[in-house]
Amino acid sequence: MQRCLDLAREGAEWVQPNPMVGAVIVYKNKIIGEGFHRNFGAPHAEVEAINSVKETDKPLLSKSTMYVNLEPCAHHGKTPPCAELLVKTGIAKVVLANVDPHKKVSGKGIEILKQAGIEVQIGVLEQEGKWLNRYFFYSHLHQKPYVILKWAQSADGKIAPLNGQKFPISNPLSQRLSHQWRAQTQAIMVGTNTARADNPELNLRHWFGQNPVRVVIDKNLQLPSSLNLLNGKQSTIVLNFSKEEENKNLKFWKMDFKENWLHDFLKRLGQEQINSILVEGGTVLLNAFIQSQNWNEARIFYSRKRIGEGVSAPVMRAGYCMETLQIEDDTLKIYKRNN
């Protein structure tokens, strides 16, 4: 099962909003086939694993066990149902980490297997499987995306100089890691001040994968059209007071920005099948997520550099540190919100 999880991670940048899934076929403690879901719309892990089995080993499938970290699908989507494929193939036993939370699948794939006489075991590395696909599980259980907050702060607790000049707080390796996170989430968000001051592109320049959907707040539609965020090169959502419109890659969403607007905004993202969002700043926006408890995870780079006069970093509260990593001269701390 650990091999399944390792294989599944190979699709992290490409499969969303689908889950990461790996599959391994074992005959007498020997792996005779394996595969993973490579990208959205492509064959699922079970199909890849079966197709990888040598012709000479095909007769062994009826005596083999398939390990897969998520319940085989039971519905026709981009691909045919994997549960029916396993029945047709004649796999003897299926070992799962997790039951699929998707309402079209949950338990139905397992039932198809059992009805066909296939032995099913559930719960092997269950928590590890849920953590790997936490975006997928959370979005289906709550109908809104998993929210990751991210920022870098100086040794004196600032995220930017007051003079507006660009000041790279984190090191190049940390910045590359940040772009990997962009590739692994479906949306990325900044506030008005960050958009105006930094003119970010919010795309992938230091990693491979699919560009996330960009989200920017522009309440009064006063941001200059010359900004990178409004160039139409990738799907972008502009949150504002007055305009509801869609024009190719540019969508304007009308929001009331009342007390619970973040909750309403996240629910709307969920309706758009966006299962994860990375919030990159600035301080006002990040604090809004923190104070309203509309976040799941926070990833903070602590630098040894000092800025002096600058914009204060967000205040982390109601979270506990899960992990601390040293990335050259930066310290990365990953927080989980207290439930």
Side-chain angles (χ1 to χ4, degrees):
M1 187 59 73
Q2 186 58 57
R3 176 61 179 163
C4 287
L5 298 177
D6 292 341
L7 285 168
R9 286 189 188 91
E10 295 293 319
E13 289 84 6
W14 304 101
V15 300
Q16 52 200 325
N18 283 353
M20 293 172 274
V21 184
V24 176
I25 302 172
V26 177
Y27 174 74
K28 289 187 177 180
N29 293 320
K30 179 185 176 183
I31 294 176
I32 62 171
E34 63 180 27
F36 64 94
H37 185 33
R38 295 178 180 274
N39 51 64
F40 182 72
H44 287 183
E46 299 93 326
V47 178
E48 291 276 355
I50 290 169
N51 288 344
S52 76
V53 177
K54 295 177 182 177
E55 284 300 320
T56 53
D57 288 339
K58 288 286 172 69
L60 303 177
L61 287 171
S62 61
K63 305 172 187 177
S64 298
T65 297
M66 175 177 281
Y67 293 81
V68 59
N69 60 292
L70 194 67
E71 175 183 4
C73 62
H75 67 292
H76 286 269
K78 295 282 185 181
T79 60
C82 289
E84 292 180 5
L85 173 66
L86 297 187
V87 171
K88 183 179 178 181
T89 303
I91 290 285
K93 181 178 179 180
V94 175
V95 179
L96 304 172
N98 304 118
V99 176
D100 195 322
H102 196 298
K103 62 184 179 181
K104 290 184 178 180
V105 181
S106 189
K108 296 182 179 69
I110 293 169
E111 187 61 29
I112 289 172
L113 299 178
K114 287 183 175 180
Q115 288 288 338
I118 297 173
E119 182 184 350
V120 180
Q121 181 180 350
I122 306 167
V124 177
L125 296 186
E126 181 178 10
Q127 294 307 312
E128 290 87 343
K130 282 185 177 179
W131 179 251
L132 174 69
N133 279 311
R134 58 195 182 278
Y135 306 167
F136 179 76
F137 275 87
Y138 184 87
S139 65
H140 280 282
L141 292 173
H142 299 277
Q143 289 75 54
K144 60 181 181 178
Y146 189 95
V147 178
I148 306 116
L149 309 180
K150 173 258 169 181
W151 71 87
Q153 66 181 64
S154 64
D156 49 356
K158 305 296 193 298
I159 65 166
L162 277 182
N163 59 18
Q165 289 185 348
K166 288 195 175 183
F167 184 91
I169 296 174
S170 56
N171 64 48
L173 193 58
S174 295
Q175 292 165 23
R176 185 172 175 82
L177 178 58
S178 295
H179 279 245
Q180 181 183 15
W181 295 341
R182 290 182 181 184
Q184 294 173 352
T185 49
Q186 280 188 272
I188 185 169
M189 184 178 190
V190 294
T192 311
N193 293 336
T194 299
R196 183 180 287 114
D198 296 348
N199 191 19
E201 294 180 74
L202 302 187
N203 58 8
L204 303 182
R205 298 184 303 281
H206 306 303
W207 201 257
F208 51 89
Q210 303 174 90
N211 282 321
V213 175
R214 304 183 293 198
V215 182
V216 61
I217 298 174
D218 185 12
K219 292 182 180 179
N220 298 307
L221 297 176
Q222 293 180 335
L223 287 176
S225 59
S226 58
L227 290 181
N228 290 323
L229 288 177
L230 304 177
N231 61 17
K233 290 184 177 180
Q234 69 196 71
S235 183
T236 303
I237 298 168
V238 181
L239 306 182
N240 68 97
F241 274 126
S242 58
K243 191 174 181 179
E244 183 76 28
E245 185 180 293
E246 182 174 344
N247 182 16
K248 293 184 179 179
N249 270 342
L250 203 54
K251 297 180 181 180
F252 292 88
W253 285 5
K254 184 178 178 181
M255 306 290 299
D256 59 20
F257 294 100
K258 293 180 181 177
E259 185 177 355
N260 294 320
W261 78 269
L262 278 176
H263 175 268
D264 297 339
F265 159 65
L266 293 172
K267 283 291 187 179
R268 184 164 179 181
L269 281 183
Q271 292 168 5
E272 295 285 323
Q273 308 301 312
I274 292 176
N275 68 18
S276 55
I277 183 168
L278 184 65
V279 184
E280 288 209 354
T283 295
V284 173
L285 181 60
L286 288 163
N287 275 333
F289 274 94
I290 294 169
Q291 290 164 8
S292 63
Q293 296 191 37
N294 281 298
W295 66 283
N296 301 93
E297 201 174 314
R299 303 169 185 176
I300 308 171
F301 293 102
Y302 294 88
S303 172
R304 297 177 185 176
K305 300 173 185 175
R306 304 183 75 85
I307 289 180
E309 284 192 313
V311 179
S312 295
V315 179
M316 172 52 59
R317 54 168 66 90
Y320 64 93
C321 185
M322 294 188 300
E323 190 174 7
T324 301
L325 299 170
Q326 198 64 37
I327 303 175
E328 294 183 340
D329 55 345
D330 289 342
T331 300
L332 170 63
K333 291 190 176 184
I334 302 177
Y335 295 85
K336 186 83 167 60
R337 183 171 67 85
N338 296 327
N339 294 325

